Amino acid sequence: MKKLYHILPILLLLIGSQAFAQTPEQQKMIDKALKMRDSIMESLNLEDVQKQADQQQKRVEPDKKSSTKTSPIPTATKSEDKYWKNTLASDKDKKLKNWNKGTADLVFNYAYDSRNDKINYVKVGSIKVDGTIELNPTDKIPVLQPLNNFKNSNNFFDIHNPDAYQYSNEKAGFKLNPYLLVYQNEQQIGILTIGNSAKVTLNLLTPGDLYFGDEGYILSWVYVDEACAIKANENWSGDLSNTGNPIMVETNVVYNLNFNPGWNMVKTEVIGTYEFPNAAEEDRSRYKKHNHTSIASIPNDATYFFRWAIQY
């Protein structure tokens, strides 16, 4: 800066003499001086601005220190995983790990007795003292609903147009549950679901989570009194938001169910996922396809999930 201030008077003297007649050489010097002046004045102005800013910052900083208190960084708390809360899962030997409840009955509920305030059910299996699961449904279900009532009682709520259902022997008696109740001393202590995903086996039992896109499958138990079938294939597009902020998706839902008289099983698969990472937890994902098919036996990769009754 000092050097600039020493040069500036000389330049001004040269520039001031341009009002008089000048030789070409003098004019060149004056032109050069004008350019240097402009450059120097620009530099001086920028430095002045910077000085003013620095002085202003120095005045502000003490005020900030005196008026602003430093807030501690909040400690993050790990939220409990709802899919494993009060939940036990089986190993490859169909045995619940860490089971310590003694023996328990696995039952299929079919009606509610309002007069006696109790659930009517039949026993379909048991959990042994060591957590081993045994299933052998043989009893008949005494109270059934017509097959064509499925459009009003479908637990998955994934067909939007009831006319999409096609029934064979629509008056056949029918009952479907995607879970078994676990009873001990005539009291329900939990539920048992079968599938290959802790998320899917809970999502498809939870009204607000039915449309989540976590992939996997859940098995349902079905009893019918006559041979019958349910078919449907619906392509749908629209809003599946739980929060009021629209999330538009396209879904395909297929039912290809053929039942023999007695006990049957249905495999419900969630295939494909729409991810919404910036949405609220209730809208974090949506399924692309649900595929419902009849199966003859429990798949080899299936896991048994026991959830304590405290959740329900």
Side-chain angles (χ1 to χ4, degrees):
M1 282 296 295
K2 289 183 179 179
K3 184 176 180 181
L4 291 176
Y5 281 119
H6 291 156
I7 297 174
L8 187 56
I10 300 172
L11 292 175
L12 293 176
L13 179 61
L14 288 171
I15 294 167
S17 63
Q18 63 182 320
F20 303 96
Q22 306 295 335
T23 65
E25 289 76 16
Q26 289 175 326
Q27 187 61 47
K28 287 181 181 179
M29 290 180 64
I30 292 171
D31 292 339
K32 186 175 181 180
L34 286 170
K35 290 181 180 179
M36 289 183 68
R37 181 202 64 178
D38 293 339
S39 177
I40 292 171
M41 292 303 293
E42 183 178 359
S43 298
L44 287 172
N45 186 50
L46 288 175
E47 287 206 15
D48 288 341
V49 171
Q50 184 63 45
K51 279 185 177 181
Q52 291 178 5
D54 290 342
Q55 291 172 356
Q56 181 68 21
Q57 182 66 23
K58 288 178 181 179
R59 287 195 297 269
V60 171
E61 284 178 353
D63 293 337
K64 283 185 177 180
K65 290 179 181 179
S66 61
S67 62
T68 304
K69 294 182 179 180
T70 303
S71 300
I73 298 174
T75 302
T77 56
K78 184 179 180 180
S79 59
E80 188 172 8
D81 187 345
K82 71 176 183 179
Y83 293 105
W84 289 101
K85 182 180 180 181
N86 301 317
T87 299
L88 299 179
S90 68
D91 55 22
K92 294 181 180 179
D93 296 325
K94 301 180 183 179
K95 183 185 295 184
L96 293 172
K97 300 175 185 177
N98 301 317
W99 173 261
N100 60 3
K101 290 289 185 179
T103 60
D105 294 329
L106 298 174
V107 306
F108 181 95
N109 64 294
Y110 59 85
Y112 173 68
D113 182 353
S114 58
R115 177 176 297 181
N116 296 307
D117 189 24
K118 62 178 293 187
I119 293 174
N120 292 331
Y121 59 80
V122 297
K123 182 178 177 179
V124 296
S126 64
I127 302 176
K128 293 185 174 182
V129 174
D130 65 353
T132 299
I133 295 169
E134 291 186 344
L135 292 166
N136 185 30
T138 56
D139 291 348
K140 294 181 178 180
I141 302 298
V143 178
L144 299 169
Q145 296 295 321
L147 183 69
N148 61 6
N149 189 54
F150 182 63
K151 63 184 178 183
N152 301 317
S153 61
N154 184 352
N155 294 312
F156 303 115
F157 296 96
D158 51 4
I159 291 291
H160 299 269
N161 178 11
D163 293 336
Y165 291 111
Q166 301 295 319
Y167 304 101
S168 173
N169 191 10
E170 63 181 18
K171 298 301 181 182
F174 167 88
K175 176 62 178 176
L176 178 150
N177 285 335
Y179 58 84
L180 296 174
L181 300 181
V182 183
Y183 266 65
Q184 199 172 58
N185 300 321
E186 297 300 317
Q187 297 293 322
Q188 182 187 346
I189 64 169
I191 66 167
L192 186 81
T193 53
I194 307 174
N196 68 343
S197 165
K199 290 184 176 181
V200 173
T201 53
L202 185 59
N203 288 343
L204 292 180
L205 298 184
T206 308
D209 299 347
L210 289 172
Y211 299 146
F212 276 159
D214 303 298
E215 292 188 288
Y217 69 81
I218 187 174
L219 302 185
S220 297
W221 298 84
V222 178
Y223 186 89
V224 296
D225 60 3
E226 298 177 7
C228 55
I230 300 175
K231 308 289 183 181
N233 191 335
E234 181 185 67
N235 292 306
W236 181 85
S237 61
D239 177 21
L240 284 184
S241 170
N242 280 332
T243 62
N245 296 319
I247 50 173
M248 308 304 292
V249 297
E250 295 181 355
T251 63
N252 173 242
V253 177
V254 175
Y255 282 83
N256 185 16
L257 307 179
N258 297 285
F259 303 122
N260 296 315
W263 290 95
N264 299 261
M265 297 202 77
V266 170
K267 182 180 183 181
T268 296
E269 297 177 88
V270 180
I271 303 171
T273 307
Y274 293 105
E275 298 284 356
F276 301 98
N278 297 323
E281 169 62 19
E282 297 89 337
D283 290 340
R284 61 180 171 79
S285 70
R286 288 295 179 265
Y287 73 90
K288 291 184 178 180
K289 181 173 183 174
H290 279 181
N291 191 42
H292 307 264
T293 55
S294 300
I295 60 174
S297 60
I298 297 174
N300 292 330
D301 68 341
T303 297
Y304 298 79
F305 297 94
F306 170 79
R307 292 183 167 97
W308 307 109
I310 192 172
Q311 288 187 246
Y312 301 97

